[in-house]
Structure formats: structure tokens, C-alpha cells
Amino acid sequence: MSGGQYVTYVQDLEQEPFDAIDLVEKLAWRMTGSAQTINDPVSLKTRFEEEIGSLQMLCDQFQSKIDTLEKQMNDEKKDYVQKLQRLHEKNSEAIDKMKQVDHTMQSVSTKVVHLGDQLESVDQPRSRAHDAYQLMQHFDEFLSDQPLNSMIFTDPDKLLESADLVHKLYSISQELNKDKFATVQARIAQRYKVVEDLLIEEFVRSQRDEKKMAEVAKILSEFKGYSGCVDRYVEFLCQSIHPRGDGAEILADCLQLCRTQQPRISAIFPSPHTVMQKLVLNLFTGRMKETINARLRECKETDDHEHYLRDLASLYSSTLKMCKELEKLHVSPDSAFLSTLTDSIFQRYIATYCTEELKYLNDQCSSLLSRFYESKKHIKKQVGGGLHELKRDVTARLMNVETYGGETFVAEDVAISILQETKNAFNRALQLCDKEELPRHVENIVDVLLKYLYGDHLDYAVETGLAGISLAESKTEPPAYFFSVVAKCTSVILLMIKQFEDPIFPIIKDTIAEPSVAKKWQQSLRSLESKMSLGLERQLNSIVGYVKFLFSEQKKTDFRPESQQIDIRVSPQCQIVSRFLTNQVAAMELGCDGENLEALQTDLANRLFIFMLTHIKQFTYNSTGAVLLLCDVGELRTLVSKWRVQSAFAQWESLQALTNLLAVLPDQVNETAHSSLLENVDRQLIHDFVRLRTDFRSIKNFQI
């Protein structure tokens, strides 16, 4: 086998995945020289046998190599196991030696600690004696009249050592007899003051070196001037706060200053809580108080009560939020510290808040209503009370009513403005009133809301609308604007109910003010609803009264025309009535909806039915007049069919059928009287209608 063939065999055999059939195909392809047909199968067989022999030889060679490698692997495995055992034995020996060393170290450390204690017990008295000796030497310097020449006093680099020494000497000197050691006490006190001033100067000079500042502050904390040093440092920090904006910005600046300086103060001062407390105290009593007072004073001086109340609530709320953030910084161990500072700023404003709020609300609501009535060029009249209602009803019966050109005197934008003002007041009350005072203050705000929005606006509009509805039988078309009054009042009432549900009720729930407020609210709404119902009742009476007036112009001869050659059409009176009712119902649908609209239209349909029934019975009818009557009734029936009055519409169906009794031929009366449309009609009423025919006596065999 040649080298090239060997390599080819190896490549084919090592191919992944191995496919024996593919290998045979490759061998056949090589043997035939890629020919499409086999011309000499015997030669091909011989070649295959040779290839098989070559593969067998190759297999034997590989097996020999495998055996050699396996033997080599077993030998190396034995050597590796032997080495591993030797290493394990060495590791065990090392562990034993480590234990011995550890035991020895423990024994030595015990002896060292004992020796250290002995050395310390010997060194401490010696060190104390040396310190006492040094103090005595320096004290002796102060006893002499000579200047202080020791290096510790003259070398500026040893200021901290000098300060520690002077503090000890000062403490000792204060315990000596003043009469005997007055001079030395004075010299030490003078040096004490000089060192203290030098320490403060060094502290100020080292503003960018926290480590140096901490060293100075630690020594200086033992001196009397330490509090002055803290004051100067706090004043230096407060100088970075400048008033700007409407006051809220300075609160954010103060909070940010505390946040950024707390780590620095903790790193510098030995008692950081005291310094942080001093910083917060200066901020509250200084920049914050000045800015807040200036802002609120400016609003007061300009009589801008709206901005005064808004800014007061905003600033107070922002200050409380700031205090919560400061509590996270643990600026003071006293839990009442921040609340006390807040009260020191806002207490005098909160004390008068309720009075200011109610005064502003009264003025604002009164101004809104006054501007509205002035825009309408209307001067309000006194309404309400029994005497006014009696006067109103007497005037209405005399038909001397004032309609103001159909003006409703209800402005939804004014109502929304008043509701918004009171909503803002409720929100401010939640922020500025304490829990005990809040319910009563909310009740007072509700009283203002009811006084102006209900009493001075909605109730006045309804009363004015009532006064514009005549109680006498109208001979002129009554206006339909009361429906608009009802529509607008209903919209405002829905807004009021929404405000009562939120925020009023959640505030007063389960408080002493809840029964009182709920009673006032319900009484006001029920009174307004009652007056609107009365107005709607009078409006319906006015509508029916005008219809009666229009139909009163019909004469008996209109339904007994002598000539048969007339136009069969709706009467002029009924045409006017139809147009009038269409306009009234359109206004009604704009002013009412839902069940209220259905009830109104049903009531109107029933009243018109009763009136038409009575009106028809006033006349007698020949065949032509009956047809004319059918036209009128059909016109009204068609009009009623467009309303939401399915129950009342059945009456008009029966009225149409009753009217038909007057128009049919005499021999068809019996059949018509027993039609399905008249099954539920009183038999006596049917008889009464038949008697309205001019030819009633000529009808034979009429039976009910």
C-alpha cells in the first residue's frame, strides 16, 4: 500500500460519522475511475479482494499500536499511583508538624501576653511619673517670671501638643489656692486663651484638610471655645444658602446642605450630632424663617389672600416633607426637635388660618356670584321664606310674572369655580389643621359652600324660575326655560355630590361633625329637589292650560259643518298646539333625562288625554266633523307616540278608537264599539261617545 493510499484510508476511516456503505462506494468509484458502468466485474472483484487484504493489514497495524499504547498507559498509571501515595504520606507528616508549630505558637503567645502585661504594669507608673514630671517642669516655667522658652510653646508645629499640655495645666491650676497661686493661674489662663485662639485659627485655615481639622477639633473639644468654633463653622456653612424663588427652593437647598455635610461633620467633629443639631437649628431660625416670613408678609401686604393661603399650605407641607427627610439623617436624638422648629416658624400663621380661610372663601364666592349677576345686568331680589313664597304665588296667579327673557341664572362655570375654591380649602385644611380642629373647620367650609352655591345661586335660580311660571290659565305661550334651569341645576348637584363623596365625607367620617354636615347637606339637596319638582308641576299645568286656551277657540259649528265640500285636515288650533308641544317637549328632553324625563312625559300625556276627553265631550259631531276630529286626535296621538310613554300611549290608542266611533257609518257602530282597541275601555264611556253623534237616535240595535 502506497503512502497516498494509506493517508486516504485513514481519512475515510476517521470521518465522523462513519458510514461503511459510503466507504465501499468511494472504493468502487476509485477502482472504476468514476465510470458509469462496470465492464469487467471479475477484475473489480479481484481489486476488492486486494483492498480487503490491505484493510486487514491496516487493522492489524492499528491493533498492534493499541496494544503498545495500553501497556505504556498501565505502566504510567502504576508510577502515578506510587507517586500519589508518597505525596499523601508527606502531606500527613506536614499536617502533624503544623499542629506542633501551632501548639508552640500558642504557648509562646501566652508567654508574650503575660510578659506584655508585666511590662505594661511596670511602664505605666513610669510613664505617668514622666508625664507628671513634664507637667511640673512646665508648671515651674509658669511660676517663674521669665518668658516661656520651651520648644513646645515656641514651635508652631507643636501646637496640638502645646494645647494638650496647656489644657492639663489649666485644669490643675483651677484646683490650686487662688490667694497663693493667683499669678500662675493668670499666666496659665492667658496662655490657655492664646492657644485656644490659635487652635480656632488653625481649624479655619485647614478647611480643605479634613484629617487636620479632625485633629484640631478633637483637642479643641476640651476647650471652652469649642462651642464658638462650632458656631463659626455652622455660620460658614449657612452662608451658602441664599433666598430664591417662592420659598420652596430654599428648603431644598437646606436639605441638600444637610445631606452633603453630614458625612464631613461626622469625620471632623468628635460629637457630630451636636454640630448637625446646631446646623439645622441655624437653618430653621435663620434663612428658612426669614424667607418664609418675607414671602407670607408680602402676600399679606398686597392683600393677596389666595396666594397667602396657597403659599402657606405649600411651604408648610414642604417643610414637613423636609423634616421627614432630616429624620432619616438622625440629626437629633430628641424626637420633638424638628417639630418644635417647624412650630416656631408656622405657629402664628396656623393660629389664624381658619379665620383667614373662611374670610377668603366668603369674599371669593361672593365676588364670583356678584360678577356673574353683573354680567347679566341683573339685580338680585330677596327670595326664600314664607312671605316671599306667598307673594310669588299671588303674583303668579295674577299673571304678573317676570321671565327675565328666559335667563336661567345658573352658571356651571361659576359653580365649578366655587367648588374648586372649596376643594382647595379642604386640601389646605388637611395640611394645616390639627385632628381636633379639622372636623369643625370642614363643617364651616361646607356651610360656606351651601350658603353661596346652594342658597345664593341654585336656590335663587329655582325660585326665580318658579316666579316666572304663571299659575293662572295662560293666554300666551308659556316659556320653557324652567327645564333649562332644572338641567343646569342637576349638573351642578351632581358635581356637588361628587365633592361630598371626595373629599368631604372621608374627612368627616366617624367624627363629631359627620351627623351635622350630612343633615345640612341632605336638607339642602332635598329642598332644592322639592322646589324643582314644584316648578316642573307648575310648568306642566301651564302647558296644559295653554293647550286648553288654544282649543277653547274651537266652536260647535266647527264639528257640524253644513257643507260636505271642506278640506279634511288638522284644525289650525291643533296645529298650533302640536308646534307648541313639540317645542316644550324638546326643551324638556334637554333639561331632563332617564326616569325623570319618562315620568314628566307620562304625566303630560295623561293630562292631555284627560283634557282631550273632556274637550271632545263638549261637542256633537256629524260625519264630516268627526273626520276633522279624527285628524286632530291623530295629530296629537302621533306626537305622543314619539315620547317615552309606552304606558300612557295606550290611552291615546283607545282615544283614537273612541273618536272613530263618531266617524263610521251608523250600521258599523256596533261592530266598531266591540273592536279589540276598545276591550279595556269603560262601556259607559263608549256609550257616551256614541251619543255625541248627531245621528245617534237613528242608529238601530245599538248595544254596548
Side-chain angles (χ1 to χ4, degrees):
M1 182 184 298
S2 65
Q5 289 177 328
Y6 178 81
V7 173
T8 303
Y9 274 127
V10 172
Q11 290 177 349
D12 292 338
L13 292 172
E14 291 180 351
Q15 185 177 359
E16 292 293 341
F18 177 73
D19 188 348
I21 296 174
D22 184 57
L23 177 62
V24 174
E25 291 289 343
K26 288 181 178 180
L27 290 173
W29 182 77
R30 293 193 194 108
M31 292 174 187
T32 59
S34 68
Q36 297 295 325
T37 58
I38 301 174
N39 298 323
D40 188 0
V42 176
S43 175
L44 181 61
K45 178 185 176 186
T46 303
R47 294 287 299 278
F48 266 116
E49 289 175 350
E50 291 176 357
E51 293 295 334
I52 292 171
S54 299
L55 288 173
Q56 185 63 47
M57 290 175 61
L58 188 61
C59 179
D60 294 340
Q61 291 177 4
F62 278 127
Q63 185 62 47
S64 176
K65 289 183 179 180
I66 290 171
D67 294 340
T68 303
L69 290 173
E70 285 182 348
K71 182 180 179 182
Q72 183 180 354
M73 181 192 71
N74 290 332
D75 293 341
E76 291 180 356
K77 182 178 179 182
K78 290 179 182 179
D79 293 341
Y80 177 75
V81 170
Q82 290 175 359
K83 289 180 180 179
L84 188 63
Q85 288 178 349
R86 289 195 296 270
L87 290 173
H88 181 70
E89 291 173 357
K90 290 182 179 180
N91 185 58
S92 299
E93 293 176 0
I95 291 174
D96 293 338
K97 290 181 180 180
M98 286 292 295
K99 289 181 179 179
Q100 293 176 3
V101 171
D102 184 61
H103 178 72
T104 304
M105 288 178 63
Q106 289 181 357
S107 176
V108 171
S109 64
T110 302
K111 293 178 181 179
V112 169
V113 170
H114 177 67
L115 182 60
D117 292 341
Q118 290 180 335
L119 290 172
E120 185 178 2
S121 63
V122 173
D123 183 66
Q124 280 184 352
R126 185 175 63 183
S127 177
R128 291 172 182 171
H130 180 267
D131 291 343
Y133 175 71
Q134 293 292 329
L135 284 174
M136 291 175 65
Q137 280 188 324
H138 292 300
F139 186 77
D140 187 57
E141 284 189 68
F142 282 98
L143 280 173
S144 66
D145 294 335
Q146 302 299 322
L148 301 175
N149 296 320
S150 298
M151 185 175 294
I152 195 172
F153 296 125
T154 58
D155 189 355
D157 295 333
K158 294 186 177 182
L159 175 62
L160 299 183
E161 298 177 19
S162 174
D164 182 54
L165 176 63
V166 170
H167 177 263
K168 292 177 181 179
L169 291 173
Y170 182 79
S171 300
I172 294 172
S173 68
Q174 296 304 307
E175 298 177 4
L176 299 177
N177 189 304
K178 293 183 178 181
D179 295 334
K180 187 175 180 181
F181 296 96
T183 303
V184 70
Q185 285 178 338
R187 290 193 68 187
I188 293 175
Q190 181 183 7
R191 187 64 186 178
Y192 179 92
K193 184 67 173 64
V194 171
V195 170
E196 186 179 67
D197 293 340
L198 290 173
L199 285 173
I200 293 176
E201 291 178 5
E202 182 67 19
F203 182 85
V204 174
R205 208 168 33 243
S206 306
Q207 288 297 318
R208 295 184 179 181
D209 187 352
E210 289 187 10
K211 185 177 180 181
K212 183 68 173 179
M213 292 177 71
E215 293 175 354
V216 175
K218 183 178 179 181
I219 299 296
L220 192 57
S221 62
E222 304 294 335
F223 283 75
K224 295 179 180 179
Y226 175 69
S227 60
C229 176
V230 172
D231 291 341
R232 289 180 62 178
Y233 182 75
V234 168
E235 289 174 3
F236 170 75
L237 294 179
C238 292
Q239 288 176 0
S240 63
I241 303 297
H242 302 285
R244 60 189 180 91
D246 58 358
E249 288 82 357
I250 195 173
L251 301 180
D253 292 344
C254 291
L255 178 59
Q256 185 62 26
L257 177 66
C258 293
R259 283 174 173 168
T260 55
Q261 290 299 322
Q262 188 190 38
R264 180 177 171 85
I265 290 173
S266 299
I268 294 173
F269 293 95
S271 54
H273 286 299
T274 304
V275 181
M276 282 299 298
Q277 192 169 341
K278 181 69 174 177
L279 173 60
V280 173
L281 176 65
N282 276 29
L283 290 174
F284 269 79
T285 58
R287 293 285 193 269
M288 284 175 55
K289 189 171 184 177
E290 292 172 3
T291 304
I292 292 172
N293 286 343
R295 178 61 185 167
L296 297 178
R297 184 169 58 251
E298 179 184 355
C299 295
K300 281 261 191 179
E301 291 174 353
T302 57
D303 290 331
D304 192 347
H305 298 289
E306 179 181 3
H307 281 83
Y308 169 78
L309 293 170
R310 186 187 65 189
D311 289 351
L312 175 60
S314 174
L315 292 171
Y316 186 70
S317 177
S318 299
T319 304
L320 293 180
K321 291 179 181 178
M322 175 186 173
C323 290
K324 288 184 178 180
E325 294 298 322
L326 289 175
E327 287 176 357
K328 298 178 183 179
L329 301 179
H330 306 290
V331 297
S332 174
D334 184 4
S335 59
F337 175 67
L338 293 174
S339 60
T340 303
L341 292 178
T342 304
D343 290 342
S344 68
I345 298 176
F346 291 98
Q347 187 58 45
R348 66 190 182 109
Y349 300 109
I350 294 177
T352 61
Y353 158 70
C354 293
T355 304
E356 297 277 356
E357 183 73 84
L358 294 176
K359 182 180 182 301
Y360 166 73
L361 275 181
N362 279 285
D363 293 343
Q364 188 70 2
C365 293
S366 176
S367 175
L368 285 169
L369 292 178
S370 297
R371 289 199 299 269
F372 168 69
Y373 292 119
E374 287 174 2
S375 68
K376 300 297 181 181
K377 297 181 180 180
H378 173 74
I379 300 176
K380 288 186 68 176
K381 299 180 180 179
Q382 183 66 33
V383 298
L387 182 61
H388 165 74
E389 292 180 359
L390 176 62
K391 180 180 178 181
R392 178 195 66 199
D393 293 346
V394 170
T395 303
R397 291 187 183 280
L398 296 176
M399 295 186 65
N400 186 20
V401 296
E402 175 63 58
T403 62
Y404 300 101
E407 176 60 52
T408 61
F409 293 112
V410 180
E412 293 183 1
D413 56 338
V414 173
I416 291 173
S417 297
I418 293 176
L419 289 171
Q420 186 61 46
E421 290 291 349
T422 53
K423 183 178 181 180
N424 294 339
F426 290 130
N427 292 333
R428 288 192 290 265
L430 283 171
Q431 297 173 357
L432 299 172
C433 289
D434 55 35
K435 292 183 178 180
E436 292 75 16
E437 188 181 16
L438 179 61
R440 289 302 179 192
H441 182 57
V442 169
E443 183 177 1
N444 291 334
I445 297 175
V446 171
D447 290 341
V448 174
L449 174 63
L450 294 177
K451 176 181 184 298
Y452 289 98
L453 187 53
Y454 162 71
D456 291 356
H457 194 55
L458 297 183
D459 188 66
Y460 178 79
V462 174
E463 285 283 355
T464 305
L466 276 173
I469 303 175
S470 175
L471 297 179
E473 185 173 312
S474 179
K475 294 183 180 180
T476 58
E477 181 176 336
Y481 74 93
F482 192 78
F483 294 119
S484 298
V485 174
V486 172
K488 293 182 178 180
C489 286
T490 303
S491 298
V492 175
I493 289 173
L494 292 175
L495 294 175
M496 291 177 66
I497 292 174
K498 184 177 181 181
Q499 184 166 107
F500 182 79
E501 294 173 349
D502 182 29
I504 298 175
F505 185 71
I507 299 176
I508 64 170
K509 185 179 180 181
D510 300 328
T511 66
I512 57 175
E514 181 181 359
S516 175
V517 172
K519 182 179 179 181
K520 293 175 183 177
W521 194 270
Q522 292 298 329
Q523 284 179 346
S524 300
L525 295 186
R526 286 174 183 172
S527 174
L528 191 63
E529 183 180 353
S530 175
K531 291 181 180 180
M532 287 193 295
S533 298
L534 176 61
L536 292 173
E537 174 75 16
R538 291 186 178 181
Q539 186 69 21
L540 292 181
N541 290 337
S542 179
I543 292 172
V544 175
Y546 185 60
V547 171
K548 288 181 180 179
F549 168 73
L550 292 176
F551 275 112
S552 67
E553 296 180 358
Q554 290 183 334
K555 302 176 182 178
K556 293 181 179 181
T557 56
D558 292 342
F559 299 103
R560 287 184 298 177
E562 297 179 359
S563 173
Q564 300 295 324
Q565 303 297 322
I566 62 174
D567 293 334
I568 304 301
R569 57 185 177 82
V570 178
S571 66
Q573 293 83 2
C574 187
Q575 290 178 5
I576 298 174
V577 168
S578 178
R579 289 194 297 270
F580 167 68
L581 290 176
T582 299
N583 294 334
Q584 290 287 329
V585 171
M588 186 186 298
E589 290 176 345
L590 290 175
C592 307
D593 58 4
E595 295 181 357
N596 293 331
L597 177 60
E598 184 176 348
L600 276 176
Q601 291 183 340
T602 299
D603 193 5
L604 179 58
N606 290 335
R607 294 185 187 208
L608 291 173
F609 170 78
I610 294 171
F611 160 70
M612 285 303 297
L613 203 60
T614 304
H615 178 69
I616 291 172
K617 289 181 181 181
Q618 295 178 358
F619 308 102
T620 56
Y621 306 86
N622 60 19
S623 58
T624 305
V627 174
L628 293 174
L629 179 62
L630 269 174
C631 292
D632 286 359
V633 173
E635 175 69 15
L636 295 178
R637 172 185 166 279
T638 302
L639 183 65
V640 173
S641 68
K642 299 176 183 178
W643 304 348
R644 304 177 185 179
V645 289
Q646 294 301 322
S647 59
F649 181 65
Q651 293 180 323
W652 284 89
E653 291 281 0
S654 63
L655 182 61
Q656 181 84 3
L658 286 171
T659 307
N660 197 40
L661 288 172
L662 305 176
V664 298
L665 297 174
D667 56 351
Q668 295 178 343
V669 172
N670 275 323
E671 180 183 354
T672 305
H674 292 85
S675 67
S676 59
L677 293 175
L678 296 176
E679 287 180 355
N680 299 322
V681 178
D682 183 56
R683 297 290 96 183
Q684 183 59 45
L685 180 59
I686 295 174
H687 185 269
D688 292 343
F689 258 73
V690 174
R691 291 176 63 87
L692 297 177
R693 294 173 63 106
T694 54
D695 58 356
F696 168 71
R697 298 186 181 279
S698 63
I699 299 175
K700 298 179 180 180
N701 302 322
F702 174 66
Q703 296 179 353
I704 300 301

